[in-house]
Amino acid sequence: MLRAEHALRVVLPRKLLKVLRTEHASRSTVPQVINIDWTIPMATAVETLDKLERRITITLPLDDIRQEVEKRLKARARTARAPGFRPGKVPMKMVAAQFGYQVESEVLNDKIGRVFSSVANENNLRVAGTPKIVPASEESADGTMTFAATFEVYPEVKIGDLSQAEVEKVTASVSDAEIDKTIEILRKQRVHYHVKGEQGAHGDGGGDLTAQNGDRVTIDFVGTIDGVEFQGGKAENYPFVLGEGRMLPEFEAGTTGLKVGESCTFPLNFPADYHGADVAGKTAQFTVTLKKLEWAHMPEVDAEFAKSLGVPDGDLAKLRIDIKENLEREVKGRAKARTKDSAMEALVKVTELDIPNALVDEEITMLIDVARRDMEQRGMNVKDMPFPPEMFKGQAERRVRLGLVLQELVKANNLKATPEQVKAQVEDFAQSYEDPKQVVKYYYSDRRRLAEVEALVLEENVVNYVLSKAKVTEKPVNFDELMGNSAPVI
C-alpha cells in the first residue's frame, strides 16, 4: 500500500498543439540545430485551493518550444521513411505531419514537467497522484502560453495516543477432537463409489437398495411448468450425491428412496431468488428416473491411509503429529491475521488525516482491474459488464487510509523489515515443504517475491508495535469459527 510518487504526464488537445506547428509545418528543409535556454519559463507561487488541493501556473515562451520541436523533428528526419523517398530524405513537411503531435507533446511534457518538479521540490511538496495539466490561455500577445497544474499533496498524518486504542488478540488451540475431525474430512476427500448391491472388495453396500443420503445417484429428469418443458429442466445420466445440498431439498427428497429403474413425479417450488429468472418463484412438476445407484466407500484409517497422506512407514501416530503441526500452523496464521485486522482498525481509529481523492481514484481503478481479471479467470464474459466505481469506493478509501497511516508509523518508528527478519520469515514458510532449501532459493532468486515477504514482515512489525502500546484483550476463538470449517492441506 506504500506507493511511489507519480511521473508528470501532460495530455493536450490537438487543437492547442496546432499553435506550435504553424512555423515548422510549413518548412520543407531541416532547420539548423538550436541551443535552447530552458531557464526562461516562469511559475507562480503555489496556490492552495483546498485542504490537499494545490495549483501551480506555468508560463512558457512558445518560440523556445517551437525551436525544441524543430530540433527533435530534425533528429527524426534522419531516419524517417516514406514511400518514394530514401531514408533521411523525407521532406520536413511530411515528417512534421507524421511525428508533429507526438514530438510537441513530448516537448511540452518535458518542459512543464521540469518546471513543475522544480517548484514542487522548492516548496517541499509531496505530490499525490497525477497532476492535471490544462491550458490556462492560448498564445498571448507576448508569445507565451500559460498552463495550470492542479494536483493534490500527501496529507499530514497525525497518529493519536495508541495507549487508548483497543485491540483483540485472537487465540485458538488444537485438540484431539480437531485432529479426529480433520482425519474424517480427509477420508471424505478420498471417497470412491461402488454399485450398490454388487459384491466387491469392499462389500456390496448393504441390503438396502434404495437411494439414501451419501449415495451417488445417476438420474434422468424432466421438469414442466403448466405442462410445458422449460430450459434447463431436462437432463439424462445426471449424477449427484444425495445429502450434499447440491440440489434443491424437494428434488433430493423426491429422489431419496428410489430403486434403480423406478420413477417418481413430484412438485418443486423454485425460490423467488432462484438464479434462473424464468422459473424463480414458480412451481414445476418433475419426473425423476433412477438409472444408477452407488454407495460411498471411505478408506479405513490404517497404514495405507497414512501412506497416502505422505507418511512413508504408515505410522498413524506420525500422521496425527503431522496433522496437528499443520493445524497449528494454520491456526497460528489465521489468528495472526485476525489480530492484525484488529490492530490495523485500532490504528486507523486513532489517526487523523485527509485522504487525497487522486489516490482513491487510482485505488478504485486497480480494484476494478483485479475484479475484472478474477472474473475472466473464472471463465466469465465481462467485456460489456459495468463495474461502477462507487462499488469499490469504500474499500479503496480504507486501503488508501491504511497505507498512509502505515507509511507514517513505519517512518516515525523505524519499523522497516530487517534482512534477518525477512530471512526468518522465508525459512518459516519453507518448513511446510518437503525441500525447505529449494523454497528459500525460490524466494531469494526473485526480488519481487522477496519484496512480498518484506511487506509481510513490515506489517508484522507494525502490528507488534501497536500491540506493545495498545490495550490488548485476548479473545479465545472456537477452532471451527477460526477455520471456517475448512480442512488444511496435508
Side-chain angles (χ1 to χ4, degrees), residues 159-167 347 409 413 415 462-472:
I159 298 177
D161 185 2
L162 282 172
S163 66
Q164 300 303 310
E166 297 181 356
V167 179
L347 179 59
L409 193 70
N413 298 280
L415 300 177
V462 170
V463 170
N464 290 336
Y465 180 84
V466 173
L467 292 177
S468 71
K469 304 291 183 180
K471 299 176 181 177
V472 180

Side-chain angles (χ1 to χ4, degrees), residues 1-231:
M1 293 185 203
L2 307 184
R3 58 184 74 234
E5 295 181 16
H6 299 265
L8 185 66
R9 180 66 184 168
V10 186
V11 179
L12 297 170
R14 289 180 180 269
K15 179 181 178 181
L16 172 65
L17 292 174
K18 286 180 180 178
V19 174
L20 304 177
R21 204 177 304 175
T22 54
E23 184 174 347
H24 70 249
S26 63
R27 297 185 180 180
S28 58
T29 58
V30 177
Q32 299 295 314
V33 176
I34 302 174
N35 294 319
I36 305 300
D37 180 4
W38 289 101
T39 63
I40 296 175
M42 298 174 290
T44 63
V46 178
E47 300 176 72
T48 298
L49 305 180
D50 202 351
K51 290 180 179 179
L52 300 179
E53 193 174 27
R54 305 288 185 269
R55 180 170 63 206
I56 298 173
T57 303
I58 299 170
T59 302
L60 301 179
L62 288 184
D63 281 346
D64 286 358
I65 300 299
R66 292 190 183 109
Q67 290 172 6
E68 179 64 14
V69 169
E70 295 283 4
K71 178 180 176 182
R72 297 192 187 189
L73 285 174
K74 172 183 178 295
R76 292 289 182 97
R78 295 190 188 115
T79 57
R81 294 176 179 269
F85 296 92
R86 288 181 295 167
K89 299 298 182 180
V90 180
M92 191 62 188
K93 185 176 182 180
M94 294 180 64
V95 174
Q98 184 176 358
F99 300 108
Y101 179 76
Q102 179 184 348
V103 171
E104 291 159 355
S105 296
E106 290 174 355
V107 172
L108 283 172
N109 269 285
D110 289 349
K111 189 54 186 169
I112 295 175
R114 291 182 190 180
V115 177
F116 180 88
S117 297
S118 176
V119 174
N121 290 335
E122 288 174 4
N123 290 271
N124 296 317
L125 298 177
R126 295 178 59 232
V127 180
T130 304
K132 295 179 181 178
I133 312 295
V134 297
S137 70
E138 294 190 359
E139 183 177 5
S140 62
D142 61 357
T144 62
M145 184 176 289
T146 302
F147 300 87
T150 305
F151 58 98
E152 289 180 292
V153 295
Y154 278 84
E156 179 183 2
V157 180
K158 297 180 180 179
I159 298 177
D161 185 2
L162 282 172
S163 66
Q164 300 303 310
E166 297 181 356
V167 179
E168 288 183 342
K169 186 175 183 180
V170 174
T171 61
S173 59
V174 176
S175 67
D176 285 342
E178 278 73 52
I179 297 173
D180 292 339
K181 186 181 296 184
T182 301
I183 289 175
E184 194 63 18
I185 292 173
L186 293 169
R187 289 182 68 208
K188 290 179 180 179
Q189 290 175 348
R190 287 155 178 78
V191 68
H192 55 277
Y193 293 89
H194 303 282
V195 175
K196 215 170 189 181
E198 290 186 4
Q199 188 64 39
H202 300 124
D204 61 4
D208 188 350
L209 299 182
T210 61
Q212 301 297 326
N213 275 353
D215 290 342
R216 183 166 68 183
V217 296
T218 301
I219 63 172
D220 292 345
F221 67 83
V222 59
T224 61
I225 296 178
D226 297 330
V228 180
E229 294 183 14
F230 55 90
Q231 186 176 5

Side-chain angles (χ1 to χ4, degrees), residues 1 3 155 157 344-345 347-349 351-356 359-360 363 394-408:
M1 293 185 203
R3 58 184 74 234
V157 180
M344 296 299 186
E345 194 65 33
L347 179 59
V348 167
K349 283 182 179 180
T351 303
E352 294 181 14
L353 77 159
D354 296 308
I355 305 177
L359 298 187
V360 174
E363 198 72 29
Q395 183 183 2
E397 288 180 344
R398 186 182 185 283
R399 287 170 63 90
V400 170
R401 183 184 298 275
L402 185 57
L404 294 172
V405 173
L406 290 179
Q407 190 176 51
E408 180 61 29

Side-chain angles (χ1 to χ4, degrees), residues 169-173 338 475-483:
K169 186 175 183 180
V170 174
T171 61
S173 59
R338 292 271 290 267
K475 181 183 179 182
V477 175
N478 178 273
F479 177 87
D480 287 337
E481 177 189 346
L482 185 65
M483 297 293 289

Side-chain angles (χ1 to χ4, degrees), residues 197-487:
E198 290 186 4
Q199 188 64 39
H202 300 124
D204 61 4
D208 188 350
L209 299 182
T210 61
Q212 301 297 326
N213 275 353
D215 290 342
R216 183 166 68 183
V217 296
T218 301
I219 63 172
D220 292 345
F221 67 83
V222 59
T224 61
I225 296 178
D226 297 330
V228 180
E229 294 183 14
F230 55 90
Q231 186 176 5
K234 183 178 181 179
E236 294 182 352
N237 297 317
Y238 184 82
F240 70 95
V241 177
L242 285 170
E244 286 189 344
R246 180 178 168 187
M247 309 298 283
L248 291 173
E250 294 97 327
F251 199 98
E252 292 210 359
T255 307
T256 301
L258 290 179
K259 293 182 179 181
V260 174
E262 290 184 342
S263 299
C264 177
T265 300
F266 53 88
L268 185 148
N269 299 309
F270 286 103
D273 59 353
Y274 190 70
H275 58 80
D278 292 342
V279 298
K282 297 180 180 179
T283 299
Q285 291 291 324
F286 273 94
T287 298
V288 171
T289 302
L290 183 60
K291 303 287 289 294
K292 188 177 182 180
L293 180 61
E294 299 168 293
W295 63 281
H297 175 264
M298 292 195 299
E300 299 296 328
V301 182
D302 54 17
E304 289 303 314
F305 180 71
K307 289 178 182 179
S308 72
L309 291 170
V311 180
D313 60 4
D315 190 327
L316 292 178
K318 290 181 181 178
L319 173 63
R320 294 183 69 86
I321 291 172
D322 286 349
I323 290 174
K324 184 175 183 179
E325 289 177 351
N326 276 278
L327 289 176
E328 288 177 338
R329 186 179 296 110
E330 186 76 10
V331 164
K332 179 182 177 182
R334 297 195 182 204
K336 284 177 65 175
R338 292 271 290 267
T339 300
K340 183 185 81 171
D341 289 344
S342 180
M344 296 299 186
E345 194 65 33
L347 179 59
V348 167
K349 283 182 179 180
V350 299
T351 303
E352 294 181 14
L353 77 159
D354 296 308
I355 305 177
N357 291 323
L359 298 187
V360 174
D361 291 342
E362 289 179 359
E363 198 72 29
I364 289 174
T365 299
M366 186 274 294
L367 290 172
I368 290 176
D369 288 342
V370 170
R372 188 185 300 275
R373 287 197 301 270
D374 179 65
M375 295 175 74
E376 287 174 345
Q377 289 172 359
R378 295 171 184 266
M380 300 177 65
N381 182 7
V382 297
K383 182 179 179 181
D384 300 318
M385 184 180 296
F387 288 83
E390 56 271 17
M391 288 179 57
F392 301 87
K393 187 174 181 180
Q395 183 183 2
E397 288 180 344
R398 186 182 185 283
R399 287 170 63 90
V400 170
R401 183 184 298 275
L402 185 57
L404 294 172
V405 173
L406 290 179
Q407 190 176 51
E408 180 61 29
L409 193 70
V410 169
K411 178 182 176 182
N413 298 280
N414 193 27
L415 300 177
K416 291 182 179 179
T418 66
E420 294 77 17
Q421 288 178 312
V422 173
K423 181 181 178 182
Q425 183 65 73
V426 170
E427 290 176 346
D428 183 60
F429 286 158
Q431 292 308 308
S432 59
Y433 293 86
E434 290 184 9
D435 190 347
K437 290 183 179 179
Q438 285 298 318
V439 177
V440 172
K441 184 179 179 181
Y442 169 82
Y443 278 101
Y444 277 91
S445 63
D446 190 319
R447 186 68 190 90
R448 289 174 298 179
R449 297 186 195 120
L450 208 58
E452 292 175 359
V453 179
E454 289 173 354
L456 290 175
V457 172
L458 185 147
E459 287 188 354
E460 188 166 347
N461 288 347
V462 170
V463 170
N464 290 336
Y465 180 84
V466 173
L467 292 177
S468 71
K469 304 291 183 180
K471 299 176 181 177
V472 180
T473 303
E474 286 201 358
K475 181 183 179 182
V477 175
N478 178 273
F479 177 87
D480 287 337
E481 177 189 346
L482 185 65
M483 297 293 289
N485 292 317
S486 63

